[in-house]
Amino acid sequence: MSEFHSKIKTIEWHKTNDGGCSVMVDQTKIPHSFEYVEIKTLKEMYDAIKTMIVRGAPAIGIAGAHGCALFALELLKKYREENGAEFLKELYEGFEYLNSSRPTAVNLSWAIKKQKELVEDSKNIPGMTLRKIAELLIENAIKLENEDIEINKKIGDFGAEIIPKGAGILTHCNAGALATVGYGTALGVVRSAFAKDNTIQVFADETRPRGQGAKITTFELVKDGIPVTLLTDGMCSYFMKNKMIDVVVVGADRIAANGDTANKIGTSTVAITAKYYGVPFYVAAPKSTIDLSIKSGDDIVIELRDEEEVTVVNGKRICAEGVKVINPSFDVTDNALIAGIITEDGIFKPEELKEKLQK
Ligand code: MRU
């Protein structure tokens, strides 16, 4: 395949003799430049997630898994075998610190939990050493990385079934290759649908305040030759009323057990508008984004970000000094507005999630 998305990995572990490091696309630079950064420490990973060098729920999850491995490598320089208990104590404190970098996307805590379980299980393996623990964390991070792409392709194939011929597909934010290790969730659905029917097209909301739709979604779709039209965030009603949108597909940061879905701020406005105009609204997400431990969206912690993301554009203040600003990064779309949740196991109605996914 020669498409852009199949040539890049948003985040990837690079192995070296001393263990390796995490290499990721710096998403704060897109579309002006496409650069990779090397992340070598826990602190650098915390900052990369917080400042959104890496972003998008599944990509943040993998960043979390990498960060755990990086910290274990750092601690190897500080502790000897006989100080195993102190090593573990500091390792787990580091895991907690990393987990606090962004609160809403559950994929981060999901991946860190998986890494912690691995370390706990390793206690039962005879001859375990601190170095072997670090190696296990690296191998697991690489495994999760590879699985992410496979999962997204399954989501794409299931999702392509609900895309009508020649459809106009509206999406919000970026749930593409660059929000995952590769291929994407909502844009994975677009990619799989486009492979079967190249008359479909995408309408991408710009996604204020950070502009992921304008900067990242249009970037990756144009590179892949998939037709895309850029909308400002208030335009969806116009396009729906004029019958240019046949279906909405968005990603998710956390889905509660009842199907309520947190995604980028502005998503619920699109869903409410879609309901009004009778346009089906779908969420595409891996099972790792579904948090069955919380009953409804009321329990989802919404990240509040710096007010400068709203008041300053391209380095210039765009509003009066003294204006009040609240900058929630996500909102929750009510389950009643969601036609289906597209996962790697199939498409479920919000009310089916608990029954189908609880093991
Ligand atoms: O703040 P971001 O850019 O990390 O928010 C990203 C989104 O809201 C995505 O839609 C979501 O994480 C799904 S990505 C497959």
Side-chain angles (χ1 to χ4, degrees):
M1 289 217 285
S2 64
E3 298 102 329
F4 157 80
H5 74 84
S6 60
K7 290 190 208 131
I8 62 130
K9 264 178 136 184
T10 301
I11 176 165
E12 185 171 33
W13 187 270
H14 280 204
K15 275 189 176 175
T16 58
N17 288 342
D18 56 0
C21 68
S22 177
V23 178
M24 58 178 70
V25 176
D26 182 346
Q27 303 202 34
T28 62
K29 304 262 169 64
I30 296 172
H32 305 294
S33 65
F34 195 80
E35 295 169 29
Y36 289 90
V37 282
E38 284 188 356
I39 302 293
K40 294 184 171 156
T41 66
L42 177 78
K43 173 76 172 76
E44 284 174 7
M45 187 59 88
Y46 176 95
D47 290 343
I49 296 172
K50 183 111 191 146
T51 61
M52 295 169 67
I53 287 173
V54 61
R55 45 136 311 270
I60 292 174
I62 302 305
H66 284 191
C68 294
L70 287 172
F71 195 44
L73 288 175
E74 283 181 75
L75 293 183
L76 284 184
K77 296 179 195 136
K78 181 170 171 188
Y79 291 105
R80 290 171 180 280
E81 221 47 66
E82 56 271 27
N83 307 116
E86 286 103 311
F87 170 92
L88 281 189
K89 182 171 175 289
E90 194 170 345
L91 186 70
Y92 289 167
E93 283 166 5
F95 287 8
E96 284 305 310
Y97 166 70
L98 193 59
N99 197 25
S100 69
S101 53
R102 289 191 82 188
T104 305
V106 69
N107 306 61
L108 179 61
S109 53
W110 171 85
I112 293 172
K113 189 166 165 254
K114 285 217 165 286
Q115 292 289 53
K116 190 170 176 183
E117 281 166 5
L118 189 81
V119 178
E120 284 299 298
D121 290 348
S122 75
K123 289 178 180 166
N124 303 320
I125 302 174
M128 189 46 60
T129 62
L130 303 186
R131 177 155 296 279
K132 279 189 193 152
I133 290 177
E135 283 165 4
L136 282 176
L137 288 169
I138 293 169
E139 290 315 316
N140 199 38
I142 295 170
K143 179 172 159 277
L144 294 175
E145 204 182 285
N146 293 330
E147 282 171 1
D148 179 76
I149 299 179
E150 294 314 309
I151 287 169
N152 294 336
K153 289 191 171 159
K154 287 185 188 157
I155 291 173
D157 290 344
F158 281 119
E161 300 295 317
I162 55 93
I163 304 295
K165 185 153 179 47
I169 306 165
L170 184 114
T171 193
H172 191 78
C173 195
N174 173 264
L178 289 159
T180 61
V181 180
Y183 204 68
T185 56
L187 295 191
V189 172
V190 167
R191 289 195 162 96
S192 296
F194 189 76
K196 294 204 268 182
D197 169 17
N198 67 7
T199 67
I200 65 162
Q201 57 174 313
V202 174
F203 293 85
D205 281 347
E206 69 169 339
T207 321
R208 278 278 285 152
R210 296 282 299 211
Q212 292 93 328
K215 294 176 181 169
I216 305 174
T217 295
T218 64
F219 174 84
E220 57 172 271
L221 290 178
V222 167
K223 287 255 179 210
D224 269 358
I226 300 176
V228 54
T229 302
L230 178 62
L231 275 54
T232 64
D233 288 345
M235 289 182 180
C236 70
S237 167
Y238 174 92
F239 284 82
M240 289 180 189
K241 188 177 168 66
N242 286 293
K243 308 213 176 305
M244 294 160 87
I245 311 295
D246 301 286
V247 59
V248 178
V249 186
V250 297
D253 287 85
R254 192 183 293 241
I255 303 172
N258 70 347
D260 288 351
T261 294
N263 191 49
K264 180 54 54 195
I265 191 76
T267 302
S268 68
T269 313
V270 174
I272 292 164
T273 312
K275 187 75 165 180
Y276 183 80
Y277 287 110
V279 175
F281 178 98
Y282 285 90
V283 173
K287 287 188 290 176
S288 53
T289 304
I290 300 170
D291 185 356
L292 293 179
S293 76
I294 55 169
K295 277 200 196 124
S296 80
D298 295 345
D299 301 323
I300 299 177
V301 176
I302 300 293
E303 175 184 14
L304 292 173
R305 292 188 66 87
D306 199 298
E307 62 181 62
E308 283 208 347
E309 288 187 346
V310 177
T311 58
V312 177
V313 173
N314 293 335
K316 275 201 169 163
R317 192 171 171 90
I318 57 158
C319 52
E321 294 291 346
V323 69
K324 284 188 195 158
V325 175
I326 301 171
N327 182 18
S329 195
F330 302 94
D331 61 22
V332 175
T333 297
D334 199 279
N335 57 12
L337 303 171
I338 300 172
I341 296 168
I342 307 163
T343 74
E344 64 271 37
D345 283 0
I347 305 178
F348 304 117
K349 293 203 180 319
E351 62 272 21
E352 290 176 328
L353 279 187
K354 253 204 322 225
E355 176 210 336
K356 302 272 184 190
L357 299 182
Q358 207 140 38
K359 297 208 173 80

